[in-house]
Amino acid sequence: MNILDPKFTPSEAHIRYLDADYVVLKPGTFVKCAITGKPIAIDDLKYWNVDRQEAYIDAEAAHEAYLRYADR
């Protein structure tokens, strides 16, 4: 995957989130935030939930998910 290739198209990756790590199941350039729907570049991925297998764009989105699912 070369981003300098004129035929390059960003694609969504499929990831299995683990404790302190993740496994790429299908290569891609980004995943979507479960709260905002915004794309997160794989290199910038820092926040996720292992139990729900969700990614979050930032700490604020992760906190929003925590509040949203705290009662469940």
Side-chain angles (χ1 to χ4, degrees):
M1 187 172 356
N2 184 350
I3 63 172
L4 299 177
D5 185 350
K7 297 177 187 174
F8 174 78
T9 303
S11 60
E12 188 169 3
H14 292 247
I15 293 180
R16 180 169 179 227
Y17 302 102
L18 307 172
D19 293 329
D21 202 5
Y22 55 85
V23 175
V24 177
L25 303 174
K26 178 185 164 225
T29 56
F30 68 92
V31 293
K32 287 188 180 176
C33 176
I35 299 299
T36 65
K38 294 179 181 178
I40 307 164
I42 298 297
D43 292 339
D44 295 335
L45 182 60
K46 295 178 186 141
Y47 303 96
W48 61 82
N49 183 288
V50 175
D51 296 331
R52 287 192 302 277
Q53 291 294 294
E54 295 179 337
Y56 309 113
I57 198 159
D58 56 20
E60 188 174 320
H63 183 69
E64 174 65 30
Y66 171 78
L67 294 176
R68 187 178 290 182
Y69 297 109
D71 295 335
R72 295 180 187 185

